[in-house]
Amino acid sequence: MKIKAKLLAMEMVSLFILLVVLLIMGILVSVDGLESRVEETLKVALAGYTDDVNVYRNSGRDVDITVFADDTRVNSSISGAVGTKASDVVIEKVIKQNKVYFDNNVSVNGVAYYGYYEPIEGGMLFAGTPKAVVNKFIRSTVAVLILSGLVVYILCVVLVLVISGRISKRIIQASERIGVLAKGDLSAVIPERDRKQHDEIEDMNEAISVLHRELKNIVSIIAKKADQLNYSNAEFNSKFSNIAESVNNVNIAVEEIALGSTSQAQETSSAGEQVSDMADVIEQNAKNTSYLEQAVHHMTELFSETNKILEELVHINDKTASNIVIVSEQTNETNVSAEKIKAAVQMIQNIAEQTSLLSLNASIESARAGEAGRGFAVVAEEIRSLSEESANSAGEIEQITKELLENSNISVKKVEEVNRDSQLQKEKLTKTKEAFRTLKKEVDSVAEVSQNIFEQTKRLESQKNTISSVFEQLASISEENAASTQQTSASMQSLSGTIDDCRRETDALSDLGLSLSEQTKKFKF
């Protein structure tokens, strides 16, 4: 049954019960008052009696007079009453006790009367009115009362129809608005408060409008922040992909440097052995000198290539450091956005609590109103359900935000570790570059020695130790270069692992952003 029908049924039943009660009370009061009036009228009739028992009948009034001699009627305006006796009750009350007596059911010759007895010397007087006359008057009075009650009832029903129609219309409007909000549709126009209305229904409508407005603002903010978070995650993924590609290139370059350093160390050792053999095989000096020139030329080419690779490696390292700074800034912005989301969730929870309190107050008021408040109880229950759903949704968003903050903090720590590794890598690259500069000087020295070796053939024996020392230094430098490149390779592998961790964390952030977007898509605004 709809609220309007319930209100009509409740009001009409209440009015009908009230009408019946009032009619019964009116009839009882009228009958009781009428008997008193009849008694008073009969008393006055006896007071005005002047020995003519037909005086009142002759004047058109329904009042009969009877004169008793002791207990027997000796003169009466009632036909056939003369000679009859009074009842035992009348004899006892009037004659024996000498008191006036009124009876609403006196039978005279089979006719019922309202009778009033008064004692006199030697007998008593009787004044009576036929009961049928009084009953006819009572029936007419009751008919008038019933007719009046029906007219009033009809007017009240019309008034109830108008009032209940207005009340039910406003309640239905509130119910429809709550139903729309429950479905997540926040796009409806929020009506202005009706200043002419100052009742609980208008307060409820205004509370729904406040809830609608606040939910719309909160969900809009969450949706925008979710889009920003998804965009930032996409940027993170792109940056990490570039970093990973650069790290792979650096790893390849470092491996090539390591191979070149190893080859250089082997060639330097071989050259040292040949220089040591020069004392015994002087006749092969020219051949060995030519081999030495080729080795120096090859070392120069390797140095040039290695120097270029180091320059690229330094550039890539600087670019990596710059990207890490960008990642750190983006991660901090993500934390700030997550804090804002957390504040928005708190606002939703506060609104849900206020809505719950509103529902509780409405339930209390509806309970106080009894039958009239059942409609309000239904509305209060719907508001309470909406409050619980809002609180549950706010709890889910709060949990997602908490996970987002935790993952974002992990990302910050990982970025800091990557930054430290990048600084360490930069230091290693600087040391490697300095080592190659030293190697260049040594290679230049070897080239100079190679060019003058023919001129120094006679002094070859005395310079053998010096050349051997030079090649030992070259071998030591080559070994150091190889060790440095291995350390650099290990650092780059560590950096690659860290970047993979950051990428996984970014994927987790992307999942959280998508989850948040899915939550906001439940609302239409």
Side-chain angles (χ1 to χ4, degrees):
M1 185 181 292
K2 295 184 178 180
I3 185 65
K4 184 176 181 180
K6 290 181 179 179
L7 288 174
L8 286 175
M10 178 180 64
E11 295 297 335
M12 291 177 69
V13 169
S14 299
L15 287 173
F16 181 76
I17 293 173
L18 179 61
L19 175 63
V20 171
V21 172
L22 289 177
L23 285 175
I24 292 174
M25 292 179 64
I27 291 171
L28 293 176
V29 171
S30 298
V31 171
D32 185 65
L34 186 60
E35 288 185 354
S36 297
R37 289 173 57 190
V38 170
E39 181 181 0
E40 187 67 25
T41 300
L42 295 177
K43 181 179 179 181
V44 172
L46 288 181
Y49 170 64
T50 57
D51 296 332
D52 184 5
V53 294
N54 294 311
V55 62
Y56 296 111
R57 287 291 182 179
N58 293 332
S59 62
R61 297 171 64 183
D62 294 322
V63 177
D64 291 307
I65 301 296
T66 299
V67 178
F68 284 82
D70 197 12
D71 59 354
T72 304
R73 297 180 177 88
V74 295
N75 190 10
S76 177
S77 63
I78 302 173
S79 177
V82 176
T84 60
K85 292 182 177 291
S87 65
D88 294 336
V89 175
V90 173
I91 294 171
E92 178 68 24
K93 293 286 185 180
V94 180
I95 296 177
K96 292 182 179 181
Q97 297 182 9
N98 197 29
K99 293 182 180 179
V100 296
Y101 175 68
F102 176 77
D103 192 350
N104 60 2
N105 192 18
V106 177
S107 179
V108 180
N109 287 340
V111 178
Y113 278 84
Y114 283 91
Y116 183 82
Y117 294 88
E118 185 177 293
I120 59 174
E121 184 69 27
M124 56 185 173
L125 291 178
F126 166 83
T129 296
K131 197 171 184 178
V133 175
V134 177
N135 288 339
K136 181 180 179 181
F137 180 76
I138 291 175
R139 285 195 295 272
S140 64
T141 302
V142 171
V144 171
L145 288 175
I146 293 175
L147 182 62
S148 301
L150 288 176
V151 172
V152 173
Y153 179 74
I154 293 172
L155 293 176
C156 291
V157 169
V158 173
L159 183 61
V160 167
L161 283 173
V162 175
I163 296 175
S164 62
R166 293 180 180 179
I167 294 175
S168 62
K169 181 179 179 181
R170 294 166 64 195
I171 294 176
I172 290 171
Q173 289 176 350
S175 177
E176 290 175 350
R177 292 181 62 193
I178 293 174
V180 172
L181 292 179
K183 294 178 181 178
D185 187 359
L186 304 178
S187 60
V189 177
I190 302 175
E192 295 292 334
R193 182 182 177 93
D194 189 356
R195 302 298 179 182
K196 297 180 180 179
Q197 301 293 338
H198 300 284
D199 54 15
E200 290 80 1
I201 298 177
E202 186 59 29
D203 293 339
M204 181 177 62
N205 277 317
E206 181 63 17
I208 295 172
S209 298
V210 173
L211 175 62
H212 186 175
R213 195 178 295 109
E214 293 297 332
L215 279 177
K216 187 173 183 179
N217 292 336
I218 292 170
V219 174
S220 298
I221 293 172
I222 293 175
K224 292 179 181 178
K225 296 302 180 182
D227 292 338
Q228 293 177 0
L229 180 60
N230 290 329
Y231 176 77
S232 298
N233 288 333
E235 290 292 323
F236 280 159
N237 286 327
S238 177
K239 296 296 183 182
F240 282 132
S241 296
N242 294 334
I243 292 173
E245 183 179 355
S246 300
V247 169
N248 290 331
N249 293 332
V250 171
N251 283 330
I252 294 172
V254 170
E255 289 176 358
E256 291 178 354
I257 293 173
L259 292 174
S261 298
T262 303
S263 176
Q264 181 181 356
Q266 293 175 354
E267 292 175 358
T268 303
S269 298
S270 177
E273 292 175 358
Q274 291 182 11
V275 170
S276 299
D277 293 340
M278 287 176 66
D280 299 327
V281 288
I282 195 64
E283 65 277 6
Q284 297 180 356
N285 184 51
K287 184 185 294 186
N288 292 334
T289 302
S290 177
Y291 177 80
L292 180 61
E293 288 179 348
Q294 293 177 0
V296 170
H297 178 70
H298 184 62
M299 289 172 65
T300 302
E301 291 178 349
L302 288 176
F303 171 78
S304 298
E305 293 177 359
T306 304
N307 190 50
K308 291 180 181 179
I309 292 173
L310 282 175
E311 292 294 337
E312 293 177 357
L313 188 59
V314 170
H315 177 70
I316 291 172
N317 184 73
D318 293 337
K319 186 177 180 180
T320 300
S322 176
N323 288 333
I324 289 172
V325 172
I326 294 174
V327 170
S328 179
E329 292 175 353
Q330 293 293 330
T331 304
N332 290 331
E333 291 180 0
T334 301
N335 280 338
V336 173
S337 299
E339 291 294 336
K340 291 181 179 179
I341 293 174
K342 186 176 180 181
V345 169
Q346 185 63 38
M347 186 181 296
I348 292 176
Q349 292 177 340
N350 291 337
I351 293 174
E353 291 177 358
Q354 293 177 2
T355 306
S356 180
L357 290 176
L358 177 62
S359 173
L360 179 60
N361 290 334
S363 297
I364 293 172
E365 292 300 327
S366 65
R368 290 179 178 176
E371 289 292 328
R374 288 186 177 178
F376 296 103
V378 175
V379 177
E381 179 64 21
E382 292 296 327
I383 294 175
R384 185 188 65 78
S385 299
L386 177 60
S387 173
E388 291 177 353
E389 291 178 2
S390 300
N392 292 334
S393 298
E396 293 176 1
I397 296 174
E398 184 179 20
Q399 182 63 29
I400 292 171
T401 306
K402 182 178 179 181
E403 295 176 359
L404 176 63
L405 286 172
E406 291 175 355
N407 292 329
S408 179
N409 291 330
I410 293 173
S411 298
V412 171
K413 293 180 181 179
K414 295 296 183 181
V415 169
E416 292 175 354
E417 292 176 4
V418 171
N419 192 25
R420 289 194 297 270
D421 292 337
S422 176
Q423 294 296 328
L424 180 60
Q425 175 186 341
K426 185 175 181 180
E427 294 175 0
K428 296 296 183 181
L429 289 174
T430 302
K431 291 181 180 179
T432 303
K433 190 173 182 180
E434 291 297 327
F436 271 96
R437 287 179 181 175
T438 304
L439 176 61
K440 186 176 184 302
K441 293 179 182 179
E442 297 298 331
V443 171
D444 291 339
S445 298
V446 173
E448 184 178 356
V449 171
S450 176
Q451 291 176 0
N452 296 326
I453 195 168
F454 282 106
E455 297 176 0
Q456 301 295 329
T457 301
K458 293 181 180 180
R459 300 171 59 187
L460 183 59
E461 187 65 27
S462 61
Q463 296 295 326
K464 179 179 69 70
N465 294 330
T466 303
I467 294 172
S468 296
S469 176
V470 170
F471 275 98
E472 288 177 358
Q473 292 178 0
L474 287 174
S476 177
I477 292 171
S478 297
E479 291 175 357
E480 291 178 358
N481 288 340
S484 297
T485 53
Q486 289 177 355
Q487 292 178 356
T488 302
S489 178
S491 298
M492 295 307 296
Q493 290 177 356
S494 176
L495 176 60
S496 179
T498 302
I499 291 174
D500 289 337
D501 292 339
C502 291
R503 180 179 291 175
R504 286 193 293 270
E505 295 298 334
T506 304
D507 292 338
L509 287 176
S510 298
D511 293 339
L512 289 176
L514 292 175
S515 177
L516 190 58
S517 297
E518 289 297 326
Q519 291 294 329
T520 57
K521 287 179 181 178
K522 294 180 180 179
F523 297 92
K524 180 181 178 183
F525 52 91

